[in-house]
């Protein structure tokens, strides 16, 4: 999540069919080459079963290490987030839980580090639209985000490849901060969840595009996973609305969804659906660009008055 800071078609993969296959034939993580060799269609939705349920904790560590190597972007970005957080804590320490219930530094510290803060962005510090993706408000915040990033990132990078997830991740993170900067100018915020939600948004687009050619049990499993993931974020956003940057979440998800409509456009079954998806994707991304232009042309008005 992005935390607001107070300041002053084909058969399912073996892992999915675990109940009907011996453990020796069940594999937790499947590479893109293996998917191709097994005859899976382009755009296949990839789901995983907990490796601990297959062969125990040792197998879980083994498969996790293998996947970390096969998904370099997710592994590197997660490693970078953790290192940056450790350095942040070593420099600024912890503030009181009453000031930051995520168990981390103060809002003033994050303001110095580059948190999203509209007044300074409008003064030319546009890097504040990117840097917050790598910052996290506290221990609770980074643990929650890194868990989501690993789960979503590894499955998506396996299915899409490194270049696709990297573009969707960073563009969605940027879009989330742009939307937040315009509609929530008085909020100091940090976090990677705008980017993570962008990846989830693209997964939703892929699910819609491949719905008809995906087996019923597989697509329903994917739909439930995405639904409950989004439901949890919505509940957190409502309950903690005074501390969660919901505009960043919405902007990141919307951007990822629109990019997914374009990236997976050829996976739609009929030409009319391809056209509709393409038009919606272009219009959505054009809207985000318009928000960025209006943000600077109108100097944040009407949401920011200086």
């Amino acid at each position: 999540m992005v935390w607001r800071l107070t300041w002053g078609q084909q058969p399912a993969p073996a892992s999915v069919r675990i109940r009907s296959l011996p453990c020796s034939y069940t594999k937790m993580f499947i590479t893109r080459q293996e998917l191709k060799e097994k005859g899976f269609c382009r755009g296949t939705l990839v789901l995983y079963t907990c490796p601990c349920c297959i062969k125990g904790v040792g197998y879980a560590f083994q498969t996790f290490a293998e996947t970390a190597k096969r998904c370099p972007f997710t592994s590197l970005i997660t490693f970078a987030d953790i290192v940056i957080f450790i350095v942040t804590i070593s420099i600024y320490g912890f503030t009181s839980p009453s000031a930051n219930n995520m168990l981390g530094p103060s809002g003033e510290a994050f303001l110095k580090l580059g948190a999203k803060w509209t007044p300074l962005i409008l003064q030319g510090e546009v890097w504040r639209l990117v840097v917050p993706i790598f910052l996290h408000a506290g221990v609770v915040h980074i643990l929650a985000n890194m868990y989501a990033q690993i789960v979503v990132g590894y499955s998506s990078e396996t299915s899409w490849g490194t270049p696709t997830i990297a573009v969707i991740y960073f563009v969605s993170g940027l879009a989330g901060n742009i939307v937040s900067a315009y509609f929530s100018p008085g909020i100091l915020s940090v976090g990677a969840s705008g980017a993570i939600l962008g990846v989830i948004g693209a997964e939703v687009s892929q699910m819609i595009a491949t719905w008809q050619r995906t087996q019923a049990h597989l697509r329903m499993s994917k739909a439930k996973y995405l639904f409950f993931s989004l439901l949890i974020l919505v509940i957190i956003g409502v309950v903690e609305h005074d501390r969660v940057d919901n505009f960043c979440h919405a902007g990141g998800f919307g951007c990822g969804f629109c990019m997914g409509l374009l990236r997976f456009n050829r996976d739609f079954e009929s030409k009319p659906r391809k056209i509709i998806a393409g038009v919606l994707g272009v219009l959505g991304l054009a809207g985000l660009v318009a928000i960025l232009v209006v943000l600077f042309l109108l100097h944040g008005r009407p949401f920011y008055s200086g």
Side-chain angles (χ1 to χ4, degrees), residues 129 133 165-178 192-202 248-259 285 288:
L129 294 172
I133 299 173
I165 190 175
V167 172
I168 291 176
Y169 182 93
F170 283 121
V171 174
S172 297
L174 174 63
N177 287 325
I178 290 172
S193 56
I196 297 170
L197 274 162
V199 176
I200 294 177
C248 182
H249 288 183
F253 178 84
C255 178
F257 180 77
C258 291
M259 293 181 72
L285 295 178
L288 290 170

Side-chain angles (χ1 to χ4, degrees), residues 270-281:
S270 63
K271 187 174 181 180
R273 291 179 180 178
K274 292 181 181 180
I275 294 175
I276 293 173
V279 170
L280 290 177

Side-chain angles (χ1 to χ4, degrees), residues 143-154:
L143 286 177
N145 268 10
M146 293 306 97
Y147 172 77
Q149 186 163 280
I150 289 174
V151 172
V152 174
Y154 281 164

Side-chain angles (χ1 to χ4, degrees), residues 13 15-16 28-32 35 43-49 64 67-68 70-75 147-162 164-165 196 199-200 202-204 206 222 225-226 229 264:
S15 57
V16 177
M28 165 64 175
F29 296 107
I30 304 175
T31 65
R32 300 188 75 201
L35 285 172
T44 296
L45 299 175
V46 179
L47 292 177
Y48 298 126
T49 298
F64 181 83
T67 307
R70 293 170 179 168
C71 300
F73 174 76
T74 302
S75 300
Y147 172 77
Q149 186 163 280
I150 289 174
V151 172
V152 174
Y154 281 164
S155 64
S156 297
E157 190 167 355
T158 298
S159 178
W160 308 340
T162 299
T164 297
I165 190 175
I196 297 170
V199 176
I200 294 177
E203 282 193 320
V204 173
Q206 183 191 26
K222 189 73 170 183
Y225 149 68
L226 292 173
S229 297
F264 306 111

Side-chain angles (χ1 to χ4, degrees), residues 45 47 207 211 214-228:
L45 299 175
L47 292 177
M207 181 185 68
W211 186 266
T214 305
Q215 287 190 349
H217 72 282
L218 179 57
R219 67 192 185 196
M220 289 308 299
S221 296
K222 189 73 170 183
K224 290 177 182 178
Y225 149 68
L226 292 173
F227 172 77
F228 284 110

